[in-house]
Amino acid sequence: MNDFKNYIPPENNGGTPKENGQDKTQLNSTVDFANAIAKAMNGKSQGQLWQTILSEAERGKREGRLSNSDLDNFYNSISPMLDGFRRKKLKEVISKLKQI
């Protein structure tokens, strides 16, 4: 090591590359997934978007790919962008999904 910029902590040598505590491959797949969803949703109405989100969330929940903490994270990410009525509606939907 010649300087601090090139220092790699021993726990990060080898294995999977990390970025801010996250696996870079997981981060890349998440970004790719978000891009695919955004492309698929382009030009759809609000009702179509809600229906798609709900059906995918229900399927993920039934298959065990979607946990209650994932639903909470989704709500916490989306709710600041919604008005009061839509936020309340999303909270109701999340509650119903958690019961599956």
Side-chain angles (χ1 to χ4, degrees):
M1 177 182 92
N2 294 330
D3 58 25
F4 288 108
K5 288 183 186 179
N6 295 325
Y7 175 71
I8 300 172
E11 64 272 4
N12 284 345
N13 286 340
T16 59
K18 301 274 184 178
E19 181 174 292
N20 296 331
Q22 289 184 322
D23 184 353
K24 280 188 179 180
T25 56
Q26 180 183 2
L27 182 63
N28 288 338
S29 66
T30 302
V31 169
D32 292 341
F33 176 71
N35 286 335
I37 293 295
K39 184 185 275 187
M41 298 300 168
N42 190 21
K44 292 191 176 183
S45 72
Q46 184 177 355
Q48 290 171 319
L49 293 176
W50 274 107
Q51 187 60 37
T52 302
I53 290 169
L54 294 177
S55 64
E56 286 300 313
E58 186 174 348
R59 185 170 46 158
K61 186 74 168 149
R62 291 189 191 283
E63 293 175 357
R65 296 180 291 115
L66 188 64
S67 68
N68 287 346
S69 63
D70 292 331
L71 292 170
D72 288 335
N73 289 337
F74 177 75
Y75 176 80
N76 292 332
S77 298
I78 300 297
S79 65
M81 295 180 269
L82 302 175
D83 62 21
F85 175 76
R86 289 186 179 108
R87 188 177 302 126
K88 183 178 177 182
K89 183 70 174 172
L90 179 61
K91 190 169 194 159
E92 291 171 6
V93 169
I94 296 290
S95 296
K96 288 179 184 178
L97 287 170
K98 284 183 176 182
Q99 295 173 3
I100 293 176

